[in-house]
Amino acid sequence: MEPMLTATADTRGMAPRARRAPPRRDRRGFAAALRALLCLALCLLVAPGAATAQGDEAGPAPLLDRLTPNRIEVIYPGTTRLEMVEDDGPVAAAAYRGDEMVGYVFSTLDVLRAPGYSSTPFDVVAGVTLEGRITGALVLFHAEPYLLNDAPRTARLVQFLHAMEGGEARLGAETGLPPSFVAGATISARAMRNAVQEGARMVLRYRTEEIVVTEPTIDMINFKPRSPEELVADGGLVNAQITNRALQAAMRKAGLGDLLPEVPMTGGPDETYVDFVAGYANPPMIGRNGTGLEPYDTLINGMPEGTMGIFVATLGGVYDHRGTRFNNLSNDFRFDRVSITQGPRSYSFAKQDVIFTRGKVADILVLPADSGFDPMKPWRAELHAAALRPDGTRAPFVLASLDYTLPPGYILMPEPEPAPVWLEPWVEGQRDIAILLVALVALTGILALQGPLTRRRRLHRWVRNGFLAFTLVWIGWIASAQLSIVHLVNYLKAPFVDLSLAFYLAEPLIVILSIYTAISLVLLGRGVFCGWLCPFGALQELLAQAARALRLPQWNPSERLQRVLWNGKYLSLAVILVLIVIAPGAAMVAEEVEPFKTAITAKFVRGLPYVIYAVALLLIGLFTERAFCRFLCPLGGALAILDRLHLVDLLKRRPECGNPCHLCERSCPVRAIESSGKIIMAECFQCLDCQVEYYDDRRCPPLAKLRKRKEREQRQPAAAPAQAAKLGGNFA
């Protein structure tokens, strides 16, 4: 066998030895994994009962007992006293300023029991005015994993809730700040915002006379004084100002240009002949402002239900829309100066169809409920006039036509169906989703084309380190998409605590990473996520490479000790799962065994004990690569258990691997290759370093031997002619 080349520090002083791993150790490792798997199954079986037990805990303290004066000032500034509302509606306290009731104060825990990301209901107290505006919100209790013991992120949550002041009490209404403002806890922030908005709406609707609009409806509620000019400006009225010149044009158009108008003109051509307005009278903003209270009340309360009115008025000029003929029996009391058309229907009016207004030339033309008139559709008001023939007879013509459509501001629309809660982060995060999908496609290509890649040692190192840097910086520190045991636990708990599909879909990047990890786990094993997509793992590996470049001493446990240490990740997983069932509060503390929240999500801006712990793990990793991933990570433990399901082994091996060659074993940075040459896929991070050695014909002994043989064969044919020439010279 050719001598083995040793070009890296990891291989110095280690001679190749032919060894076989004792079968007993394989059984021990499998038994440890099996025990962890059984523990996981037991926890899942017990979880429904645990969820029920949690639901049976004593309820929160009474609302007023939770509200100190300082809290009340934040929730509803200016409140002088609170009184609990004694009815069967959602729990709330009436807020007073002096003797005047101004709104309500409520708790999301009392009204909704909305769960946060931890699936434990939080308690946010908030205020809402009688007009439906949020006055303030304050969180009293939560168990959100990415907010606990995190002062900077908690401060951002306080700012986010404070920015809700003045917003609408309607689910989906925009607030002062987006949920992404609380970076790293976006799901929790969004859940609290939605709970405040929905809770406020529930409290108000039960106790006010708010009309619940299920289809477009005429606004018969809102009113404030407005002038005709203001109503014309917003479209509530349409206006025609006819000058003497326009009158003459209308008469010429009707073929009456040689006649005189029935009502003579005064002044010059630009003098106003008539200033006429028309509009739909039923909305109080139009009808009551136009005619005054008494005529409008006659329309609304003095007529059969469903009666509709058309408001018409003359604001100036010598001509008006009334005239006097409606008083004449000879004219059948017809109100013949105004008519209404809508589609094929035409409406004319008599004196009894008009509600007259005293003191001004403004009236309401009445349409019965069965008239077929639809105020939501366009219609036309026509103002008629007449010219006098030489014989004294009248020649009618249309003086003005006004097209009218009731403006949207006078129509109450149903509240828009709020988009699914989970859809909002997907819409907001389209750019990040696209970046992640491109990265996953690239990773898939790397894994699929690992053969050509690993044949080029330098290219492999650049691609590997480049992707690790992307994972750390973008996936971890920028996008905060660190998959952790918290996500796995929440996914496992969700079916047992009545959480909807929205719970699973609330974090787009985590959902995409979870799906990709699940698929890659079944196909290739644990190493795809742990080796390429875990930001904390990437941080450890990049630091370890720097440590080796600085020639820091490296320590790896013996094969026997390593097998014992591997069980640490299964133990940490088991502890967390058991605590979730028997002591959920303690489980949140146990989940801190992962330094992900500190090092990645919070970027080390956290309490000193957490920072010290995370830094200590990273320091250990400088001397033992990925020590946390190998020996302590609970998520890694769960993935290692499920790794046994993987279907495809892409990593190549030769018969010589392990006997007599140990190059790949020694070059594996995490020692996932046994002395027998077998790769333990549950401990492999798919870094592909072993494949680089596998294809290197200057380091891999079988390939090096083959290369040298070929080189000798190539030299031999060239040497033969020279030798023959020498022999021929001797004979001569």
Side-chain angles (χ1 to χ4, degrees):
M1 179 177 175
E2 296 291 330
M4 184 175 297
L5 300 176
T6 56
T8 65
D10 288 346
T11 61
R12 288 182 301 182
M14 297 182 64
R17 292 176 295 155
R19 295 180 298 177
R20 294 187 179 276
R24 180 183 299 177
R25 295 178 188 172
D26 285 340
R27 289 196 295 269
R28 285 178 180 173
F30 180 77
L34 181 61
R35 285 196 298 271
L37 181 60
L38 291 175
C39 178
L40 174 62
L42 177 62
C43 290
L44 292 180
L45 290 173
V46 178
T52 304
Q54 291 175 24
D56 293 336
E57 293 176 358
L63 177 59
L64 293 185
D65 291 350
R66 285 176 271 161
L67 298 177
T68 63
N70 289 338
R71 289 173 175 174
I72 295 172
E73 186 59 28
V74 172
I75 298 163
Y76 210 130
T79 300
T80 56
R81 64 187 173 94
L82 294 176
E83 284 186 10
M84 290 302 300
V85 180
E86 302 295 338
D87 58 22
D88 296 329
V91 176
Y96 288 85
R97 286 178 182 156
D99 294 330
E100 179 186 4
M101 179 182 165
V102 291
Y104 296 96
V105 171
F106 66 96
S107 160
T108 61
L109 188 61
D110 297 333
V111 175
L112 294 169
R113 291 192 67 80
Y117 190 72
S118 68
S119 76
T120 300
F122 48 76
D123 186 8
V124 178
V125 288
V128 59
T129 67
L130 298 177
E131 292 76 29
R133 294 285 175 176
I134 304 297
T135 61
L138 180 68
V139 60
L140 300 186
F141 164 79
H142 70 78
E144 302 303 278
Y146 290 103
L147 289 168
L148 289 172
N149 304 310
D150 193 325
R153 192 166 286 110
T154 298
R156 295 179 76 85
L157 176 66
V158 171
Q159 286 181 259
F160 171 75
L161 293 176
H162 179 71
M164 293 187 67
E165 181 179 349
E168 291 183 72
R170 175 175 58 82
L171 185 61
E174 292 186 5
T175 53
L177 294 169
S180 57
F181 177 76
V182 192
T186 302
I187 304 305
S188 302
R190 182 177 287 109
M192 292 180 186
R193 180 203 64 184
N194 292 347
V196 169
Q197 292 175 332
E198 187 176 1
R201 203 64 170 164
M202 292 171 62
V203 167
L204 276 181
R205 276 187 169 168
Y206 189 86
R207 297 179 175 91
T208 63
E209 296 180 356
E210 177 186 2
I211 297 176
V212 179
V213 178
T214 58
E215 59 184 17
T217 305
I218 303 298
D219 183 1
M220 303 296 294
I221 301 173
N222 295 303
F223 174 80
K224 63 180 179 180
R226 280 191 168 182
S227 67
E229 292 75 18
E230 290 175 317
L231 292 172
V232 169
D234 76 0
L237 295 177
V238 287
N239 172 241
Q241 291 184 337
I242 306 299
T243 63
N244 292 335
R245 181 181 284 108
L247 167 64
Q248 292 172 336
M251 292 177 66
R252 285 194 298 271
K253 183 178 180 181
L256 306 173
D258 296 334
L259 303 181
L260 295 175
E262 182 180 30
V263 177
M265 298 179 289
T266 61
D270 296 325
E271 192 73 23
T272 299
Y273 184 70
V274 62
D275 187 357
F276 176 71
V277 293
Y280 185 59
N282 287 53
M285 196 83 77
I286 299 172
R288 183 176 169 184
N289 274 315
T291 64
L293 180 58
E294 186 177 346
Y296 180 75
D297 185 64
T298 301
L299 171 68
I300 301 302
N301 300 314
M303 297 283 179
E305 185 176 354
T307 299
M308 293 167 285
I310 304 296
F311 172 73
V312 291
T314 300
L315 304 180
V318 297
Y319 189 81
D320 66 65
H321 70 276
R322 281 182 186 168
T324 57
R325 290 169 56 82
F326 65 87
N327 282 317
N328 297 337
L329 176 61
S330 60
N331 192 47
D332 296 327
F333 302 107
R334 287 186 299 112
F335 197 85
D336 59 3
R337 289 193 176 183
V338 179
S339 66
I340 303 297
T341 59
Q342 186 177 60
R345 293 177 181 268
S346 182
Y347 302 92
S348 58
F349 304 90
K351 182 177 180 179
Q352 65 269 21
D353 301 323
V354 181
I355 302 173
F356 293 95
T357 301
R358 298 174 185 174
K360 51 185 175 180
V361 188
D363 308 306
I364 298 175
L365 311 180
V366 177
L367 293 165
D370 59 357
S371 64
F373 183 80
D374 187 347
M376 300 286 191
K377 294 181 179 179
W379 50 271
R380 175 179 294 172
E382 291 186 337
L383 180 64
H384 301 273
L388 293 177
R389 296 187 181 96
D391 61 1
T393 58
R394 301 174 69 253
F397 64 93
V398 175
L399 181 58
S401 292
L402 292 82
D403 292 321
Y404 182 89
T405 301
L406 188 65
Y410 295 90
I411 301 173
L412 299 176
M413 300 298 293
E415 285 190 8
E417 191 71 25
V421 175
W422 60 266
L423 185 60
E424 181 183 350
W426 287 82
V427 173
E428 291 179 353
Q430 291 181 60
R431 180 181 62 86
D432 289 349
I433 291 170
I435 293 173
L436 180 60
L437 290 176
V438 170
L440 294 180
V441 170
L443 176 57
T444 303
I446 291 171
L447 296 173
L449 302 174
Q450 59 181 260
L453 174 65
T454 52
R455 284 182 170 89
R456 298 165 177 82
R457 182 180 294 270
R458 182 173 297 180
L459 176 63
H460 163 262
R461 182 49 51 196
W462 276 103
V463 170
R464 171 74 177 163
N465 288 347
F467 202 94
L468 289 178
F470 168 81
T471 297
L472 172 62
V473 176
W474 191 86
I475 294 181
W477 286 337
I478 295 177
S480 296
Q482 168 74 67
L483 193 61
S484 76
I485 192 63
V486 175
H487 300 104
L488 178 62
V489 165
N490 282 341
Y491 287 158
L492 294 175
K493 286 168 57 180
F496 305 117
V497 290
D498 298 324
L499 291 177
S500 65
L501 181 65
F503 177 84
Y504 293 95
L505 300 176
E507 291 182 289
L509 301 186
I510 293 298
V511 169
I512 294 170
L513 280 172
S514 299
I515 293 173
Y516 189 87
T517 298
I519 294 173
S520 63
L521 180 66
V522 172
L523 291 177
L524 301 177
R526 164 200 180 186
V528 177
F529 170 76
C530 293
W532 293 86
L533 295 172
C534 176
F536 189 75
L539 176 59
Q540 290 181 96
E541 184 166 331
L542 292 173
L543 289 176
Q545 290 185 35
R548 290 198 298 273
L550 295 173
R551 299 186 179 278
L552 295 183
Q554 300 294 302
W555 177 84
N556 275 293
S558 65
E559 191 170 328
R560 181 189 297 250
L561 177 58
Q562 179 170 254
R563 286 189 172 276
V564 175
L565 294 177
W566 279 344
N567 290 325
K569 57 182 175 289
Y570 303 117
L571 178 61
S572 64
L573 172 65
V575 169
I576 290 172
L577 293 176
V578 170
L579 288 177
I580 287 169
V581 177
I582 63 175
M588 294 181 190
V589 177
E591 287 169 355
E592 292 288 350
V593 69
E594 288 183 332
F596 303 164
K597 189 192 308 184
T598 301
I600 304 300
T601 309
K603 305 180 188 69
F604 295 99
V605 182
R606 210 168 172 222
L608 186 59
Y610 300 100
V611 174
I612 291 175
Y613 172 68
V615 170
L617 290 177
L618 293 174
L619 289 175
I620 292 171
L622 295 177
F623 304 96
T624 301
E625 184 162 335
R626 284 183 175 254
F628 173 78
C629 302
R630 295 158 66 183
F631 308 133
L632 193 56
C633 179
L635 179 61
L639 296 179
I641 293 171
L642 298 173
D643 181 276
R644 285 157 177 78
L645 302 174
H646 82 268
L647 303 175
V648 181
D649 289 327
L650 291 181
L651 303 182
K652 306 291 186 182
R653 310 302 291 147
R654 291 192 178 89
E656 296 90 345
C657 293
N659 186 16
C661 179
H662 297 275
L663 177 63
C664 292
E665 173 192 344
R666 293 195 297 272
S667 66
C668 177
V670 294
R671 299 298 183 262
I673 302 178
E674 293 180 326
S675 56
S676 64
K678 176 184 176 182
I679 299 176
I680 306 172
M681 294 304 298
E683 305 299 332
C684 173
F685 294 122
Q686 301 271 2
C687 67
L688 306 181
D689 282 5
C690 62
Q691 299 303 284
V692 173
E693 303 289 12
Y694 179 89
Y695 288 113
D696 192 336
D697 62 0
R698 295 191 176 276
R699 288 177 54 82
C700 178
L703 287 186
K705 184 176 181 180
L706 181 61
R707 176 182 58 79
K708 292 179 179 180
R709 181 188 304 161
K710 288 181 178 179
E711 289 175 351
R712 286 196 300 268
E713 291 174 353
Q714 290 172 356
R715 288 194 300 268
Q716 285 176 357
Q723 185 176 5
K726 182 178 179 181
L727 291 173
N730 291 336
F731 284 117

